[in-house]
Amino acid sequence: MANLSTKIKLYANQEIDFSKDVILQDDSNGQGPYIKEWNLDIAKPTDAQLNAYEAQATTYENNEKIKATRKALYGAWDKQLEEIYDNGIDSWKARIAQIKADNPKENS
């Protein structure tokens, strides 16, 4: 199940500051998080509107995890540049292509 914050980002179609734009709260009562405060200039979404973003939000979150995995496997830029200098661009491109193949993004 996708995070409420992700669904809100997709609904609003903008970056959200969850310390002032939208305040979420979880009362630890088994109901999960909810919107405590809505300070955006667009209408506050209903639960049904947010639930309509479930599949898209799940894909977004899964792809964010894949991007983080890829980034870690790519290594720091300076190391990548050394790799290109030492082994050539084709070797580097092959390694990057393999990382992408091993860690494919989901289609939106």
Side-chain angles (χ1 to χ4, degrees):
M1 175 173 255
N3 290 317
L4 177 59
S5 58
T6 304
K7 294 178 196 177
I8 291 170
K9 287 179 194 176
L10 293 171
Y11 168 81
N13 196 29
Q14 64 185 22
E15 283 301 312
I16 306 292
D17 182 340
F18 286 99
S19 66
K20 66 176 184 172
D21 296 334
V22 177
I23 310 296
L24 301 180
Q25 184 167 319
D26 188 337
D27 296 332
S28 298
N29 59 5
Q31 299 292 319
Y34 62 92
I35 299 170
K36 179 180 179 186
E37 223 177 281
W38 186 265
N39 300 313
L40 295 175
D41 292 335
I42 60 174
K44 179 180 173 183
T46 64
D47 288 342
Q49 287 173 308
L50 290 175
N51 288 338
Y53 286 97
E54 181 66 35
Q56 188 178 356
T58 298
T59 298
Y60 175 86
E61 290 175 0
N62 290 343
N63 284 339
E64 288 300 303
K65 290 175 189 171
I66 293 297
K67 284 168 44 178
T69 299
R70 285 180 176 184
K71 185 176 180 179
L73 292 171
Y74 293 158
W77 282 108
D78 59 333
K79 299 296 183 191
Q80 290 185 60
L81 289 173
E82 286 178 23
E83 177 184 358
I84 292 168
Y85 182 80
D86 293 341
N87 303 320
I89 192 96
D90 291 334
S91 172
W92 173 83
K93 285 171 68 175
R95 187 177 69 82
I96 296 301
Q98 188 61 53
I99 290 170
K100 287 182 176 190
D102 292 344
N103 299 281
K105 290 183 185 177
E106 293 180 18
N107 294 326
S108 323

